Amino acid sequence: MGATETPRGRPRAFDRETALRRALDVFWERGYEEASVADLTAAMGINPPSLYAAFGSKEELFRSAVALYERDEGGATADALAADVPTREAIAALLLDNAAEYVRPDRPRGCMLVASAASCAPSSTGVRDHLAERRRVGEQAVAARIRQGIEAGDVPADADPGRIAAFYTTVLDGLSHQARDGADLERLEAIAATALAAWDAAVGTSA
C-alpha cells in the first residue's frame, strides 16, 4: 500500500459542517420524505455507513439540519423581532424580510420548516412533532414581541399576544407556500401589505 493511500475499510475524513450544509439543502429542496439516504449521501460526499456513524439516523440528520437552518437562515426573523422599533414596524419587517429570503435565487424557495412539514408523512411522527415544536417556538417569539409592545405602550394593553402571533405566523407560513409555488417578491410583498393593513383590527384598535 502506498504512503498516500487510505487504508481499506477506514472512512475518509469529512468536514461535518460542510456535509450537514449539503444535507440541509437536500431536505430544504425535497422535504424529509422525498430526500432519500442515497440523495443525502451523494450530496454530502459520504457513504451510508459514514452518515449513520456521524449522525445516527436520517431523522437525527434532519434534526441537525433544522438546527443549522435556524442558526444560519433564521436571521430575518431574529433581527426583525430584536429591532428597536415600534411593534408594527417589527412585524412588518418580520413579513417583508422573510418574504425576500423566501425567493433568494441562491437558496431553495420558502421556509425549510414549513416546506418539510407540508410533505411529512403521518408515519413520521418524530419529525412532524419536532417541526411543530420549532414552529411553536417561533410563534412564541412573536408573541413575546407583542407583549414587549404592550409594555412599551405601542400595543393596547388588552391586546391578545397569542392571537396576534398566531395570525402573523400563519401569514408567514402562507408566504412560504406561495414562494414554493413560484410567486415572485412583488406578490409576496402585496400579501404582506394586506396582512399589515389588518394590524389595527388584530391589536384591537380602530383605524
Side-chain angles (χ1 to χ4, degrees), residues 1-169:
M1 179 180 295
T4 61
E5 295 180 19
T6 301
R8 183 172 300 173
R10 181 182 300 172
R12 291 179 180 273
F14 71 100
D15 184 322
R16 191 179 192 277
E17 182 84 359
T18 298
L20 183 56
R21 177 74 234 187
R22 292 172 179 170
L24 165 59
D25 288 341
V26 175
F27 283 128
W28 194 348
E29 182 66 43
R30 303 188 184 185
Y32 178 76
E33 302 296 340
E34 294 300 319
S36 68
V37 170
D39 294 331
L40 293 163
T41 53
M44 297 165 76
I46 60 176
N47 57 31
S50 294
L51 184 155
Y52 295 121
F55 298 98
S57 67
K58 177 185 172 183
E59 181 174 332
E60 288 304 314
L61 172 62
F62 179 75
R63 288 172 181 257
S64 296
V66 168
L68 179 63
Y69 175 83
E70 293 183 322
R71 188 195 78 188
D72 288 359
E73 309 294 339
T77 293
D79 291 348
L81 298 179
D84 185 16
V85 296
T87 305
R88 186 185 184 283
E89 292 183 27
I91 298 302
L94 174 72
L95 299 181
L96 295 171
D97 293 353
N98 274 294
E101 289 294 310
Y102 291 165
V103 295
R104 278 179 55 178
D106 61 333
R107 290 283 184 267
R109 283 182 156 242
C111 170
M112 184 252 200
L113 305 187
V114 174
S116 296
S119 62
C120 195
S123 58
S124 299
T125 305
V127 171
R128 189 177 66 249
D129 290 349
H130 183 63
L131 289 170
E133 174 59 24
R134 299 319 303 161
R135 293 197 307 277
R136 278 193 294 272
V137 168
E139 185 174 313
Q140 289 164 1
V142 177
R145 183 62 181 84
I146 302 299
R147 286 192 291 272
Q148 182 181 330
I150 292 173
E151 294 171 3
D154 64 29
V155 176
D158 59 352
D160 184 338
R163 181 174 61 84
I164 299 166
F167 172 67
Y168 283 107
T169 54

